[in-house]
Amino acid sequence: MTILTIATQPIAGQKPGTSGLRKKTRVFMGRHYLENFVQAVFDVVGCQGKTFVLGGDGRYFNDRAAQVILRMAAAQGAARVIVGQGALLSTPAASHLIRLNATDGGLIMSASHNPGGPDEDFGIKFNMPNGGPAPEAVTEAMFARTASLSEYRILEVQDVDLGSIGRKTLGGMIVDVVDPVSDYAALMESLFDFAAIRAMFAGGFRMRMDSMCAITGPYAREILENRLGAAPGTVVNGTPLPDFGGMHPDPNPTWAKALMDEMFGADAPDFGAASDGDGDRNMVVGRGIYVSPSDSLAVLAANAHLAPGYAKGLAGVARSMPTSAAADRVAAALGIASFETPTGWKFFGNLLDAGKATLCGEESFGTGSDHVREKDGLWAVLLWLNILAVRKQSVREILEAHWAQFGRNYYSRHDFEAIPTDKADAMMAALRGKLASLPGTAVEGMLVEAADDFAYTDPVDGSVSLKQGVRVLFQGGSRFVMRLSGTGTEGATLRLYLERYAPGPKGLGEDPQAALAPIIRAAHEIAVIEGFTGRNAPDVVT
Ligand code: G1P
Ligand code: ZN
């Protein structure tokens, strides 16, 4: 077999973020595009004698990209690559395999919750030996390398068979094709009380899991239906398809509307859940009641000790700044540490590695723990099931008891999409400029207690992240937060996060939008959203 050295030249714009390099699939399929980026990754992390994990969420081009990556790894002298059968692995399962096998990292092919297909999105992400996404210094080095390389190396060889499990070779490199599900399922079985959950299903408990034609289908079928005895057909949209069946695999009330309709309809099952393209996000719904991700994190923190894997209690709970403070109230009651980090899963990594936090979560449908170094959709679903099985109460009963004990943090996020970037920047600049003058003023009858631009000092390595979002706090624990998305693809996306705290069991009714109305008005007034952007209503409400 010959190692080909192919002359190439830098391709502009191959800048990976912490969720990797994401582009249109056709861009990735362009001449040398994938190869250049993979060469840059291998040049930065080194390949000789190393072992990696490889898999993806099954979207269009996943299978072809896997063969290219394997041929390139072999050409650079990698010792071994562990690949999910069919080149499939969910993001949390890849994180687990990296850790379980103590590998030198892994490559995950996914564009997360973005649609897939020849005209949609593709992506590649490198994860470190701890199982977590490459930090900025590493992704910056990869980006720098894409700007200077002049050749890539690839083995001239036929495809390796990824359809059957077992050990193969590719040149001098070992390719271990593994079942994508079994090690992950074993990890879940070590954390949760499968016997109790099995008994609950045997007792007639009904669930709907919408895998949105993405990667969690095989995982959910094996764990929920085969191992836990959920009725066949519990998992819907359970076969990963290259175009996700045309679905937008983002588990929120907008994109998982069929699930929402079922959970709020006649004869709704006891519990509903959905996950995203690569399996790291989750949405949970009870019969006739939606669980906001912020509330989910708080309920999981308050009840995690009911699961064997967390029976010893939690070291701490971490949430991203825009996530509601509901989890903080639980942490305070438990007497454990709580952490408030900037948006993005990467900020949890140090806290988890250092044993400071056990559970973490974001309002953007991400929840996880120290069992891997990614958020984990099915893990959250299983922890909920474990809690439901032990408490023998409905989702509604659990939520209502939680709110009665801790008070309720009404919460919503309003997204304003595709705003011209200059207008969005001008709005944020003007808002930042008036922060100092806000405290002590009354808006919509509410007193502003504090206003700042969130800055974070990592308690483990001391690194400082500035300008992570503007927050305006009102007396009584209500607030709004504004920041511009770091993952949007068209113009700027303004995210307006709204929170209103209602102490005691009475609450402010069922509808968060109604409860949040004064905060919404105050945010529009203070930030002059319509004046700068021309928009007075959001495109997406979660
Ligand atoms: C969004 C979410 C954020 C999440 C990220 C990656 O980022 O808001 O919580 O970590 O996707 O899944 P944003 O577009 O807001 O920068
Ligand atoms: Zn994802």
Side-chain angles (χ1 to χ4, degrees):
M1 268 165 270
T2 323
I3 294 176
L4 303 176
T5 300
I6 314 256
T8 185
Q9 47 199 5
I11 297 173
Q14 293 195 315
K15 187 174 171 59
T18 41
S19 15
L21 180 67
R22 273 188 211 170
K23 296 286 173 194
K24 286 288 164 209
T25 310
R26 286 200 198 281
V27 171
F28 257 106
M29 289 164 59
R31 189 170 157 77
H32 299 329
Y33 194 94
L34 171 68
E35 292 83 348
N36 276 21
F37 183 66
V38 171
Q39 186 65 53
V41 169
F42 284 148
D43 284 349
V44 167
V45 301
C47 219
Q48 183 65 43
K50 293 199 167 171
T51 297
F52 299 108
V53 166
L54 174 66
D57 62 13
R59 67 181 61 226
Y60 190 86
F61 195 51
N62 185 97
D63 49 351
R64 298 309 314 145
Q67 296 288 347
V68 170
I69 293 168
L70 287 170
R71 284 205 286 273
M72 290 185 66
Q76 334 280 319
R80 178 179 171 225
V81 179
I82 301 167
V83 194
Q85 185 180 16
L88 297 177
L89 281 177
S90 76
T91 288
S95 181
H96 177 52
L97 282 180
I98 292 170
R99 297 164 64 79
L100 181 69
N101 296 285
T103 69
D104 300 291
L107 292 115
I108 301 173
M109 300 169 288
S110 170
S112 189
H113 48 282
N114 293 8
D119 296 312
E120 300 293 351
D121 291 354
F122 190 78
I124 292 191
K125 175 163 94 159
F126 184 82
N127 279 33
M128 306 296 280
N130 76 342
E136 208 166 303
V138 175
T139 55
E140 281 303 313
M142 289 168 180
F143 179 48
R145 182 64 188 134
T146 64
S148 68
L149 48 71
S150 58
E151 57 185 44
Y152 64 84
R153 292 184 301 288
I154 188 164
L155 201 64
E156 188 182 39
V157 65
Q158 295 299 322
D159 283 1
V160 56
D161 169 24
L162 300 178
S164 62
I165 289 168
R167 177 160 286 195
K168 332 269 161 110
T169 54
L170 194 65
M173 185 177 85
I174 291 169
V175 178
D176 280 324
V177 181
V178 300
D179 175 43
V181 177
S182 56
D183 285 323
Y184 177 82
L187 174 66
M188 294 301 114
E189 208 151 354
S190 76
L191 295 173
F192 301 119
D193 189 345
F194 271 37
I197 303 173
R198 209 179 290 121
M200 180 171 72
F201 278 119
F205 182 90
R206 289 187 304 134
M207 170 177 181
R208 176 72 62 232
M209 169 79 205
D210 190 341
S211 285
M212 305 188 90
C213 300
I215 191 65
T216 55
Y219 294 84
R221 278 203 179 119
E222 171 61 19
I223 295 172
L224 298 174
E225 296 183 9
N226 297 347
R227 300 197 185 195
L228 292 170
T234 292
V235 181
V236 292
N237 298 316
T239 303
L241 299 174
D243 65 349
F244 303 128
M247 293 181 92
H248 186 155
D250 198 0
N252 62 42
T254 304
W255 296 117
K257 188 173 179 306
L259 175 70
M260 291 296 284
D261 289 348
E262 184 176 2
M263 295 308 298
F264 280 82
D267 198 36
D270 300 284
F271 186 58
S275 53
D276 74 330
D278 63 331
D280 58 356
R281 292 187 176 194
N282 77 89
M283 177 177 82
V284 296
V285 201
R287 181 188 292 130
I289 191 163
Y290 165 70
V291 186
S292 82
S294 293
D295 275 343
S296 181
L297 176 65
V299 169
L300 295 182
N303 295 280
H305 62 277
L306 301 177
Y310 306 92
K312 289 204 290 288
L314 309 175
V317 181
R319 64 166 173 90
S320 67
M321 181 274 282
T323 303
S324 96
D328 303 11
R329 297 180 188 279
V330 174
L334 292 174
I336 59 174
S338 59
F339 300 89
E340 186 177 29
T341 62
T343 297
W345 203 259
K346 64 175 176 176
F347 292 98
F348 297 135
N350 277 350
L351 297 171
L352 296 171
D353 281 345
K356 288 179 177 292
T358 311
L359 251 54
C360 35
E362 293 193 275
E363 49 66 42
S364 52
F365 299 86
T367 336
S369 88
D370 59 359
H371 67 292
V372 289
R373 291 297 179 274
E374 292 276 5
K375 54 196 172 221
D376 188 345
L378 269 176
W379 169 91
V381 171
L382 289 165
L383 181 48
W384 263 100
L385 285 172
N386 194 143
I387 293 165
L388 291 165
V390 174
R391 288 187 53 165
K392 302 188 188 339
Q393 289 173 306
S394 68
V395 173
R396 178 178 290 280
E397 285 165 341
I398 288 175
L399 274 178
E400 285 177 351
H402 187 94
W403 293 330
Q405 181 181 355
F406 296 100
R408 179 166 176 181
N409 291 70
Y410 286 89
Y411 191 83
S412 182
R413 184 175 102 183
H414 290 190
D415 290 340
F416 301 76
E417 293 173 346
I419 302 172
T421 307
D422 54 338
K423 294 185 174 164
D425 289 342
M427 176 185 61
M428 291 303 293
L431 178 59
R432 288 188 159 103
K434 65 160 77 152
L435 289 180
S437 68
L438 290 175
T441 62
V443 187
E444 288 291 323
M446 300 176 299
L447 187 67
V448 178
E449 212 170 58
D452 69 357
D453 195 351
F454 182 59
Y456 178 67
T457 303
D458 187 299
V460 179
D461 64 19
S463 60
V464 176
S465 306
L466 299 172
K467 297 181 89 166
Q468 296 297 316
V470 167
R471 35 181 201 180
V472 176
L473 288 106
F474 301 99
Q475 210 168 39
S478 299
R479 65 169 189 169
F480 73 84
V481 170
M482 274 175 60
R483 56 180 283 280
L484 299 182
S485 157
T487 62
T489 43
E490 206 195 330
T493 296
L494 165 66
R495 302 211 195 281
L496 170 60
Y497 308 84
L498 304 142
E499 180 172 355
R500 181 168 179 194
Y501 181 64
K506 262 189 66 141
L508 296 162
E510 283 268 332
D511 178 15
Q513 302 306 321
L516 291 165
I519 320 282
I520 297 171
R521 286 194 300 270
H524 278 266
E525 190 179 324
I526 291 173
V528 200
I529 296 174
E530 188 171 2
F532 280 97
T533 68
R535 309 283 184 84
N536 59 16
D539 300 290
V540 180
V541 173
T542 51

